[in-house]
Amino acid sequence: MVTQASNQTVLLIDGDEVVRDSIKVLLESHGAQVEDFRNAGEFLSQARSIRGQCLILGYNRQISEGLELVATLRRRGMDLPAIFIVGGGDAVTKAAALAAGAFAYLERPAGEAALMRAIRAARSRNEGAPLSGTSPATGPLLASARS
């Protein structure tokens, strides 16, 4: 069960438990609070009680669940910067993420520096806005990292 997170929290969705745990440990080592979820459904079931500054979505090739989640959040008026970390993606996948409103797009394996840059930029943009609110819109930060 997820507890009420602070507005400093990074929200993490990744279906691969090992990858999810690794990202969580990395982020916590940088001082971030992290709430993690197995999938978009688990996240959405608790979205009304969660506050966070950015959302990290980890996928291998098929990012349709993440694209749908971002669209659902936007329809609900929840403007949360989404950072996609994708394994096996291509230019079409990257374009789809951008069209859906991705704040950042990183390729797996994403380097620590690139991931932390994307998170800092997302946090700066969002300034701790609650998940249930909206935040100022800025252009997406698109990044690709392989290191």
Side-chain angles (χ1 to χ4, degrees):
M1 183 169 161
V2 175
T3 59
Q4 176 70 28
S6 81
N7 64 359
Q8 300 296 311
T9 300
V10 174
L11 307 169
L12 171 63
I13 299 172
D14 197 307
D16 184 322
E17 184 177 3
V18 172
V19 172
R20 188 174 64 246
D21 288 347
S22 295
I23 294 172
K24 184 175 182 175
V25 167
L26 171 68
L27 298 179
E28 289 174 341
S29 76
H30 283 271
Q33 291 180 307
V34 181
E35 291 290 341
D36 62 308
F37 307 88
R38 289 183 302 258
N39 55 50
E42 181 181 25
F43 172 81
L44 284 172
S45 72
Q46 300 175 47
R48 294 197 195 287
S49 65
I50 297 171
R51 293 171 58 94
Q53 286 188 312
C54 68
L55 176 64
I56 298 175
L57 300 154
Y59 293 99
N60 287 317
R61 291 190 179 91
Q62 295 296 329
I63 66 168
S64 57
E65 178 186 89
L67 298 177
E68 185 177 322
L69 175 61
V70 170
T72 298
L73 293 174
R74 293 242 153 88
R75 280 193 305 274
R76 294 180 181 182
M78 300 173 187
D79 187 18
L80 189 65
I83 300 169
F84 282 78
I85 303 176
V86 181
D90 56 19
V92 173
T93 303
K94 185 175 182 176
L98 172 59
F103 183 79
Y105 181 96
L106 304 171
E107 295 179 7
R108 281 187 180 166
E112 179 178 344
L115 177 58
M116 296 313 298
R117 259 192 318 274
I119 291 170
R120 278 191 301 275
R123 286 175 136 184
S124 175
R125 173 199 170 239
N126 212 29
E127 293 296 332
L131 181 59
S132 60
T134 59
S135 61
T138 61
L141 167 71
L142 289 180
S144 293
R146 292 181 185 259
S147 58

